[in-house]
Amino acid sequence: KYSAPKIEVALPEIDETNGKISEVSWQEFFKSYDLKRVIDLALKNNRDLKIADLNMSLAKKNHAIRVADLLPNINGGASFNRRNLPSSFSRFTASKQYSVNVAVLSYELDFFGRLGSLKSSALEDYLASEEARKTIKLALISEVVDGYLNLIMDRELLEISKASRDLQELRY
């Protein structure tokens, strides 16, 4: 009678103080040094992940611009002029001159919530791009692990085939 062997996969120990399994980083999850090195290399050199990083940074800056749109645009400046004039002219003109100016260039009253909606939309775009980056990273890690495990399995099958061939040659 054939009974299927139990396949035991060693997962990292997780208890209530450490947190959930979803919060474990891939470096802690995988124990093989070679696999960690291959994953790290793939993460550093993947163009899709770099594009996702750029999209995330663009969305973050767009959100910062939308937050700044809610505030009034204020411009200010100060200047100081000093002239060296002969004493005969000093009675007619000032030798020192101070100037300060402040101006509110523009401010949009948000009666209908347009600016608030744009800010919320920019925040949602940023959060979506961050999740897209995480998804791309997770998919890349899973593809690398899948390829790595297939390589190990193929090597083991090759060793089994070689051993089987050697046994066949000994038989004849």
Side-chain angles (χ1 to χ4, degrees), residues 2 8 48 95 151 162:
Y2 174 76
E8 295 183 13
D48 291 335
S95 62
L151 176 67
K162 285 180 181 178

Side-chain angles (χ1 to χ4, degrees), residues 112-124:
F112 300 106
R114 184 181 79 84
L115 293 177
S117 295
L118 288 174
K119 182 189 122 201
S120 297
S121 172
L123 176 63
E124 295 299 325

Side-chain angles (χ1 to χ4, degrees), residues 82-101:
R82 182 177 180 171
R83 300 182 202 169
N84 289 328
L85 298 173
S87 60
S88 59
F89 290 117
S90 64
R91 288 182 283 155
F92 303 114
T93 60
S95 62
K96 295 179 184 176
Q97 191 174 30
Y98 301 97
S99 172
V100 176
N101 59 22

Side-chain angles (χ1 to χ4, degrees), residues 24-35:
V24 174
S25 70
W26 66 267
Q27 291 95 342
E28 296 171 17
F29 190 79
F30 298 110
K31 300 298 181 196
S32 169
Y33 173 74
D34 292 332
L35 179 58

Side-chain angles (χ1 to χ4, degrees), residues 31-161:
K31 300 298 181 196
S32 169
Y33 173 74
D34 292 332
L35 179 58
K36 286 181 184 181
R37 204 174 66 201
V38 171
I39 291 172
D40 190 44
L41 188 64
L43 290 176
K44 285 180 183 174
N45 295 313
N46 188 273
R47 291 183 182 172
D48 291 335
L49 197 57
K50 289 178 183 178
I51 290 170
D53 283 338
L54 291 174
N55 287 338
M56 195 172 85
S57 110
L58 180 67
K60 187 176 184 179
K61 289 179 181 168
N62 189 25
H63 177 254
I65 289 169
R66 293 301 174 193
V67 169
D69 285 345
L70 294 173
L71 303 172
N73 295 329
I74 298 174
N75 192 7
S79 64
F80 169 73
N81 290 327
R82 182 177 180 171
R83 300 182 202 169
N84 289 328
L85 298 173
S87 60
S88 59
F89 290 117
S90 64
R91 288 182 283 155
F92 303 114
T93 60
S95 62
K96 295 179 184 176
Q97 191 174 30
Y98 301 97
S99 172
V100 176
N101 59 22
V102 176
V104 175
L105 298 178
S106 66
Y107 183 66
E108 183 176 344
L109 296 174
D110 194 15
F111 289 122
F112 300 106
R114 184 181 79 84
L115 293 177
S117 295
L118 288 174
K119 182 189 122 201
S120 297
S121 172
L123 176 63
E124 295 299 325
D125 286 344
Y126 168 68
L127 295 175
S129 65
E130 185 177 7
E131 290 302 316
R133 183 196 178 285
K134 288 179 184 177
T135 302
I136 290 170
K137 183 178 177 181
L138 185 62
L140 177 63
I141 290 172
S142 91
E143 288 292 321
V144 168
V145 170
D146 189 41
Y148 185 80
L149 293 177
N150 282 334
L151 176 67
I152 289 173
M153 186 177 65
D154 289 344
R155 285 181 179 170
E156 289 181 5
L157 288 173
L158 180 63
E159 290 299 319
I160 292 170
S161 298

